[in-house]
Structure formats: structure tokens, C-alpha cells
Amino acid sequence: MTASPAQIKLPRKTTSLKVVATDLANGSNLYTWKKLEGPGDAVFKPNGNAEAATCKVDLSAPGKYVLEVTLSDPRGLSEVTRTITVTVGN
């Protein structure tokens, strides 16, 4: 999982997030992002579908954000969760 860039400076408050994963059953993975910690709101576009493997996140305030992605297969057979930290500076 990557954030590009992982450190951003205001006025920029948007970064790209990307997950690389393989479903051995050749299904369509679902990626659900959420903010675990941080001073402001985090809006993920897209979120909760296969296209969210690559998404943009808009962070509303300066500070350190801990973001989480949950990868699940649509059959409910497996689920994996990972976190990443992104910092918005002045």
C-alpha cells in the first residue's frame, strides 16, 4: 500500500492512495477506506468498491492522519486490513 505523496503541504490537502493485491480465486476485491486518527475529516473517492484500490483522499486540516483500508472479497471468504500514515503540514 502506498500514499503518493505521504507528506503534503498546504494548500494541497489531497493525495493518492494505492493498494496492490491479488485474489487467487480471480474475484473482484472490494476496498473500503476509513480514517482511524487525525485532526480533520478524510473523504475517500472512490470508496467501498473494486475501483477504490486506487483512490484520492481529501484531508480537511493540517496534522497526522492514520488511514485504514480493508480488502475483502465479494464472497466474504477473506478480509485483510492495513494502515498508512499521511501528514498534512503548513
Side-chain angles (χ1 to χ4, degrees):
M1 177 169 53
T2 61
S4 180
Q7 294 190 5
I8 53 180
K9 294 196 181 284
L10 293 176
R12 182 178 176 174
K13 298 184 292 184
T14 301
T15 192
S16 297
L17 303 170
K18 183 176 182 179
V19 177
V20 177
T22 303
D23 181 357
L24 298 177
N26 294 324
S28 202
N29 295 322
L30 304 176
Y31 301 87
T32 305
W33 294 90
K34 69 179 179 179
K35 179 191 87 166
L36 296 179
E37 299 175 20
D41 294 328
V43 177
F44 302 93
K45 299 174 187 175
N47 197 14
N49 56 33
E51 290 77 31
T54 301
C55 79
K56 301 273 187 193
V57 59
D58 294 320
L59 304 167
S60 67
K64 184 169 98 174
Y65 292 79
V66 178
L67 310 175
E68 177 184 85
V69 64
T70 300
L71 163 67
S72 57
D73 73 53
R75 297 172 304 280
L77 300 175
S78 63
E79 186 172 283
V80 177
T81 300
R82 296 288 184 265
T83 60
I84 192 165
T85 301
V86 175
T87 302
V88 178
N90 289 323

